Amino acid sequence: LTGERYGRWTALKISHTKDGSTYWLCRCDCGKERPVKTSSLTGGCSKSCGCLHREVATTANTKHGMSRTKLYSAWLQMHRRCDSSYVPEYKNYGKRGIIVCERWGDFQNFYDDMGEMPPGLSLDRIDVNGNYEPSNCRWATWDEQGCNRRTNKFYAFAGETHILSQWAKITGIKRGTLFGRIVVRNWTVEKALTTPV
């Protein structure tokens, strides 16, 4: 792909591979450089470093009249996590190659795809290593999001696999107790889940 253009990106060289995917170091027309997944380039999901999104967002903000809503805030924060290297969350999103699909550069498209933001829910990616796009996003509770982190450790027992907080709800044993049994004392999962407190 060296020298090829994709939107405002110009592919410079292979950056690295991760989880079977190749990332290309790309330079945006505005001068910023960052690694972008090959499929995001060739599939049209990524067309700029975020400057295109910001330009579209500025235009959208003047016409949709929803800039003070929670839905708009969720859309804006999604872009910041992926496009703004100065925000703390960027290291877990944009720096990892997570992008917002080009369609969602326009707030109206995001609204059309996701609808109103239900009370008590927030935007969540189904695949935590995937991009922000219609097929990979949902409205979820904080508990659902907590169970959907890439840092979670899962434990299998009796044909079921859950994280500790889920096992705590199922067994009635506090999460801290389960953590102490399995991680600190090195009990088997079966013993930790079946031994009465």
Side-chain angles (χ1 to χ4, degrees):
L1 303 182
T2 302
E4 294 292 321
R5 283 185 58 82
Y6 299 90
R8 295 185 179 185
W9 286 126
T10 298
L12 303 178
K13 62 181 180 179
I14 291 178
S15 170
H16 64 281
T17 58
K18 182 179 179 182
D19 299 328
S21 297
T22 301
Y23 288 74
W24 283 80
L25 179 64
C26 298
R27 179 181 294 125
C28 184
D29 287 350
C30 72
K32 290 184 180 177
E33 295 183 1
R34 68 182 246 197
V36 183
K37 190 186 293 188
T38 303
S39 59
S40 295
L41 287 173
T42 58
C45 287
S46 181
K47 295 184 179 179
S48 77
C49 68
C51 59
L52 179 58
H53 288 158
R54 287 189 290 274
E55 289 174 18
V56 173
T58 299
T59 303
N61 191 26
T62 62
K63 66 182 181 181
H64 58 66
M66 297 181 71
S67 62
R68 296 186 183 276
T69 64
K70 288 184 177 180
L71 180 67
Y72 183 77
S73 178
W75 175 81
L76 193 62
Q77 292 301 321
M78 168 183 72
H79 281 283
R80 285 181 178 158
R81 288 191 290 270
C82 295
D83 302 331
S84 302
S85 58
Y86 59 86
V87 300
E89 298 88 349
Y90 178 79
K91 66 179 183 296
N92 295 319
Y93 295 86
K95 191 172 183 179
R96 290 178 52 227
I98 305 299
I99 65 166
V100 178
C101 70
E102 199 66 27
R103 173 174 168 77
W104 282 2
D106 185 331
F107 172 77
Q108 186 62 51
N109 289 337
F110 175 72
Y111 177 69
D112 291 343
D113 292 337
M114 295 300 295
E116 293 288 345
M117 184 175 182
L121 303 186
S122 56
L123 187 63
D124 183 45
R125 286 170 301 128
I126 298 166
D127 173 5
V128 294
N129 293 310
N131 295 323
Y132 282 100
E133 54 193 352
S135 63
N136 193 43
C137 287
R138 63 180 179 176
W139 297 116
T141 64
W142 285 111
D143 283 345
E144 288 171 329
Q145 291 197 44
C147 295
N148 192 30
R149 292 179 181 150
R150 61 193 174 97
T151 55
N152 281 344
K153 185 172 174 99
F154 290 85
Y155 299 90
F157 172 66
E160 295 183 45
T161 303
H162 302 289
I163 62 174
L164 285 184
S165 60
Q166 291 173 316
W167 279 120
K169 288 182 180 178
I170 293 169
T171 63
I173 302 172
K174 291 181 179 178
R175 183 194 177 281
T177 301
L178 294 176
F179 180 85
R181 289 176 169 184
I182 296 173
V183 179
V184 179
R185 296 180 188 150
N186 205 26
W187 285 17
T188 64
V189 175
E190 179 179 3
K191 182 180 178 182
L193 296 176
T194 59
T195 302
V197 176

